[in-house]
Each structure stands twice: as structure tokens, then as C-alpha cells.
Amino acid sequence: LVALVTFLCFVASRSRGAYTALAGMEVVITALFFLLYLLKLDKKLSWLFWPLADIFNSVIAALFLLIVCLFAVIKTDNGTLAGGVFGLVLLVLCVVDAVLLFRKISFDGPRERNTAK
């Protein structure tokens, strides 16, 4: 939701394409990961370790958001400033997501299964 709000702020302020493109791309990628886990496609498409792909997505998004949102905060336009602030909040959420996922996965031990009893 924060990525969507960031995207809408950049669109409403008619910011440069880089701001809007990054926020829109993050909305789409986040929605695709959400659908992947919601529909349990990660179990069917087992050829890729999806939590690690999610970590890479979060780290790369955080790096891009850091650069783009700092430039957006510098601008004087109110919509771009709001988008930059929401983008920095999204940056923090991406870092938290990457850290929590990294702590949850295990590379050498057995993986946990969440089964209903």
C-alpha cells in the first residue's frame, strides 16, 4: 500500500519519469510476489528459491528507492516531496522485509513446514 501511495503521489505531481517508473515497478513486483504466495505458486514452481528472490527484490528496491527518493525530497514540489517521504518509508519497509526474510530462511538446515493440525 505504501508503494501504491508513493506511486500516486508521483503521478499526481507529474514528476519525472524515473520517480513514477520506480514506484510503479515496485507496486507491480510487490503485487506479483503477493499473488505468488497467496496462490501458493511458490510450491508448484519449486525450481527457484522464492524467499531468496524476494530478499534480492527488497535489497535492490531499497537501493533504488534510496537514490530516487532522496532526489525527490530535495525538490520543492509538494507532491514530489510527499512521494519522496512515502518512498523513504517504503525503503525502511523493504529493509525490514529483507532482514526478516533472511533471518527466517535456512540454507543448510531443514526448512520449516507450516501445517495445520
Side-chain angles (χ1 to χ4, degrees):
L1 290 175
V2 176
L4 183 63
V5 170
T6 304
F7 175 72
L8 292 176
C9 286
F10 286 144
V11 168
S13 68
R14 297 183 183 165
S15 298
R16 294 185 181 253
Y19 302 137
T20 308
L22 178 66
M25 183 177 66
E26 191 56 35
V27 168
V28 170
I29 291 172
T30 303
L32 290 175
F33 271 110
F34 182 72
L35 283 175
L36 176 88
Y37 292 128
L38 182 71
L39 299 175
K40 299 187 189 306
L41 293 176
D42 57 330
K43 306 269 191 267
K44 293 178 184 175
L45 302 171
S46 61
W47 49 270
L48 184 64
F49 188 49
W50 291 103
L52 191 60
D54 199 0
I55 289 172
F56 283 140
N57 171 51
S58 295
V59 169
I60 291 171
L63 290 174
F64 282 129
L65 283 167
L66 177 67
I67 296 166
V68 170
C69 291
L70 285 179
F71 280 115
V73 169
I74 292 171
K75 290 195 73 158
T76 58
D77 182 21
N78 289 337
T80 306
L81 177 65
V85 170
F86 280 114
L88 291 174
V89 171
L90 181 60
L91 163 80
V92 171
L93 291 176
C94 284
V95 170
V96 169
D97 179 46
V99 169
L100 290 177
L101 278 173
F102 188 75
R103 291 181 75 196
K104 187 175 181 180
I105 64 174
S106 61
F107 293 107
D108 56 352
R111 294 196 185 129
E112 295 179 12
R113 295 277 180 177
N114 292 337
T115 57
K117 292 182 180 181

